[in-house]
Amino acid sequence: MRGLVLRVYEEKGANRTLSLLTAERGVLRAAAFGAGKTGSPLAGAAQAFAYADFTMLSRRGSYRVEEAATIETFRGLTRDIARFSLASYFSELLCDVCPAGTECGEILQLALYALWALERKNRETELVRAAFTFRLMCIAGYAPDLDGSGSCFLASEGRIDSRGAALTPGALAALRHIADCPAEKVFAFSLGGESLAALGCACEQYTRVCSDRDYPTLDYYKKMIQTA
């Protein structure tokens, strides 16, 4: 089973517990015994943002990693604290919107595209944040109504309106692109200045409404880009 490591929990000794995003079963927790030992064959896959083929033993609803073959580590994120903190925020959000036992193939694909965009640095972090969070909300069952004729996005009701976050024509076009484009095109647009700021504001408000919680990792990311 292929999975993306969203979180790594240190247990007694060198054991680890992994939160994995999988296409078939959503987010599940799996024990990785001895993964913290130097030279462990599980070490490469038992780290945040590792994408790997996991061979797991399932018993009474619990999972244990038996083998793992790493596909991608996204190690480049560790060299940029802002991008790493943004990826950590994505992981927290994914843990909340992808319950165990649900099919999450489209969300896993989106997460991988987002991490690639962050690591390759071919898109601004604020563009990646806006596009990822808004598309994620759409996939998770919170698709908004973007067919209105207003110039604002009313996050509390999920629709284009005359009230809410003000949108430039570019920001409105970007919202519609993110919601409806093929998966591989979610981050394939350019936006800057006032339009990117408007897009970011609308997407952040909508994500906050849908998730109904605050994220310390998002606050930390904001501090990092303010001081950069």
Side-chain angles (χ1 to χ4, degrees), residues 23-105:
E24 301 89 348
R25 301 175 190 176
V27 174
L28 56 85
R29 289 169 68 96
F33 294 112
K37 291 181 180 178
T38 302
S40 168
L42 302 180
Q47 56 184 309
F49 314 128
Y51 180 53
D53 271 317
F54 293 93
T55 300
M56 291 191 284
L57 177 66
S58 174
R59 180 176 296 175
R60 298 178 182 177
S62 298
Y63 295 90
R64 186 177 76 193
V65 179
E66 298 288 292
E67 299 177 358
T70 304
I71 300 169
E72 180 63 74
T73 63
F74 298 103
R75 194 164 294 162
L77 293 175
T78 62
R79 296 189 288 270
D80 188 315
I81 188 62
R83 290 174 184 267
F84 184 87
S85 58
L86 182 55
S88 298
Y89 164 57
F90 290 171
S91 292
E92 280 197 275
L93 198 55
L94 288 164
C95 284
D96 285 346
V97 303
C98 301
T102 58
E103 196 282 327
C104 288

Side-chain angles (χ1 to χ4, degrees), residues 80-87 89 118 123-130 196-197 200 204 217-228:
D80 188 315
I81 188 62
R83 290 174 184 267
F84 184 87
S85 58
L86 182 55
Y89 164 57
L118 287 178
R123 291 291 184 272
E124 291 188 45
T125 57
E126 283 294 86
L127 185 150
V128 177
R129 176 165 76 104
L196 181 56
E204 181 172 337
T217 46
L218 175 58
D219 295 335
Y220 185 75
Y221 158 73
K222 289 180 178 180
K223 289 181 181 178
M224 290 300 99
I225 60 172
Q226 287 171 0
T227 58

Side-chain angles (χ1 to χ4, degrees), residues 6-223:
L6 300 180
R7 292 180 179 174
V8 179
Y9 302 90
E10 294 188 4
E11 309 292 353
K12 291 183 179 179
N15 299 330
R16 302 288 185 267
T17 297
L18 312 179
S19 285
L20 303 173
L21 173 59
T22 68
E24 301 89 348
R25 301 175 190 176
V27 174
L28 56 85
R29 289 169 68 96
F33 294 112
K37 291 181 180 178
T38 302
S40 168
L42 302 180
Q47 56 184 309
F49 314 128
Y51 180 53
D53 271 317
F54 293 93
T55 300
M56 291 191 284
L57 177 66
S58 174
R59 180 176 296 175
R60 298 178 182 177
S62 298
Y63 295 90
R64 186 177 76 193
V65 179
E66 298 288 292
E67 299 177 358
T70 304
I71 300 169
E72 180 63 74
T73 63
F74 298 103
R75 194 164 294 162
L77 293 175
T78 62
R79 296 189 288 270
D80 188 315
I81 188 62
R83 290 174 184 267
F84 184 87
S85 58
L86 182 55
S88 298
Y89 164 57
F90 290 171
S91 292
E92 280 197 275
L93 198 55
L94 288 164
C95 284
D96 285 346
V97 303
C98 301
T102 58
E103 196 282 327
C104 288
E106 190 176 358
I107 291 178
L108 174 59
Q109 184 182 47
L110 174 65
L112 291 171
Y113 281 135
L115 293 178
W116 278 319
L118 287 178
E119 185 181 50
R120 294 170 184 173
K121 298 185 178 182
N122 58 0
R123 291 291 184 272
E124 291 188 45
T125 57
E126 283 294 86
L127 185 150
V128 177
R129 176 165 76 104
F132 173 82
T133 55
F134 195 69
R135 179 70 167 220
L136 179 61
M137 293 303 104
C138 292
I139 298 172
Y142 302 101
D145 180 4
L146 301 177
D147 293 330
S149 58
S151 58
C152 298
F153 181 69
L154 187 59
S156 61
E157 298 181 13
R159 60 186 174 87
I160 300 299
D161 199 273
S162 59
R163 301 165 294 156
L167 298 172
T168 65
L172 177 56
L175 279 181
R176 289 171 172 159
H177 167 84
I178 295 165
D180 297 328
C181 71
E184 65 274 13
K185 299 293 186 181
V186 171
F187 306 101
F189 67 96
S190 297
L191 210 60
E194 182 183 358
S195 290
L196 181 56
L199 175 68
C201 180
C203 293
E204 181 172 337
Q205 288 183 11
Y206 194 55
T207 302
R208 178 65 180 82
V209 167
C210 296
S211 64
D212 194 29
R213 60 160 291 193
D214 296 317
Y215 291 89
T217 46
L218 175 58
D219 295 335
Y220 185 75
Y221 158 73
K222 289 180 178 180
K223 289 181 181 178

